[in-house]
Amino acid sequence: MYMFVEQLWAALKAGDIDMVVSDHSPCTADLKLLDTGDFVAAWGGVASVQFGLSLFWTNAAQRNLTVRDLVNWMCVTTSDLCGMGHRKGSLQVGKDADLVIWDPDGSFTVTEDIIQHKNKVTPYLGKVLKGVVQRTLVRGNTVYHNGTFSSQPMGAILLKPITSAK
């Protein structure tokens, strides 16, 4: 397994893989078929979006990668793929001010009580992760700050711009 993980990191560094994303596919424990262990029949994916930044940074930092690498692979290229590069993915005048303020050197242990997902099934329980998110802003509005979420949703539906056929 370790060899395959290192091959993925090598491909990322070489540019053969150009982005890092998550499919965030949470489900209830019964759909995971934990009682039978039937991996083939179980619901795929995990509730992990809350830990995505820290999971990636924990491993990237061990390989001497930079925050710039993280931003490129998790923000710039992903927003471009979705056709949202004109609004998202980087800090530029006229783009949405979507930011995360974090302590890249801080660490925490994944425990059930900190999981914000409805269903607490995650393979990361007990893992120590590096990179503590302190604040999250969406279009300049704080939606999360040190364990507290905004009382109102701040998101918006994003639609890819339609280009006329020539």
Side-chain angles (χ1 to χ4, degrees):
M1 174 72 165
Y2 181 75
M3 178 182 69
F4 297 117
V5 170
E6 290 310 313
Q7 288 175 332
L8 287 171
W9 281 104
L12 192 58
K13 290 179 192 178
D16 297 326
I17 297 174
D18 56 5
M19 69 185 69
V20 176
V21 299
S22 169
D23 71 345
H24 184 67
S25 182
C27 69
T28 57
D30 61 309
L31 293 176
K32 284 298 195 187
L33 304 180
L34 299 174
D35 55 337
T36 66
D38 188 343
F39 182 77
V40 175
W43 182 277
V46 296
S48 63
V49 72
Q50 173 185 354
F51 304 116
L53 173 62
S54 301
L55 285 164
F56 184 79
W57 184 243
T58 298
N59 291 281
Q62 292 171 356
R63 291 165 176 82
N64 297 316
L65 296 170
T66 67
V67 172
R68 170 58 63 199
D69 294 326
L70 179 147
V71 168
N72 187 55
W73 292 323
M74 295 185 82
C75 304
V76 177
T77 55
T78 54
S79 62
D80 287 344
L81 175 71
C82 295
M84 290 288 137
H86 66 289
R87 287 187 59 181
K88 307 282 183 188
S90 62
L91 295 177
Q92 294 178 356
V93 174
K95 289 191 174 187
D96 293 349
D98 296 339
L99 305 169
V100 62
I101 299 168
W102 65 308
D103 176 0
D105 297 319
S107 63
F108 66 97
T109 302
V110 178
T111 57
E112 203 169 284
D113 61 305
I114 69 167
I115 297 173
Q116 297 298 320
H117 313 117
K118 176 181 177 183
N119 302 302
K120 311 296 184 187
V121 177
T122 179
Y124 307 114
L125 278 177
K127 302 259 189 231
V128 176
L129 301 180
K130 187 173 181 178
V132 178
V133 174
Q134 297 167 337
R135 183 179 294 226
T136 305
L137 294 97
V138 175
R139 291 184 323 280
N141 299 297
T142 297
V143 295
Y144 171 83
H145 184 240
N146 290 333
T148 303
F149 293 88
S150 62
S151 60
Q152 297 296 315
M154 299 281 180
I157 294 174
L158 299 175
L159 300 175
K160 185 176 176 179
I162 297 173
T163 55
S164 59
K166 293 183 180 184

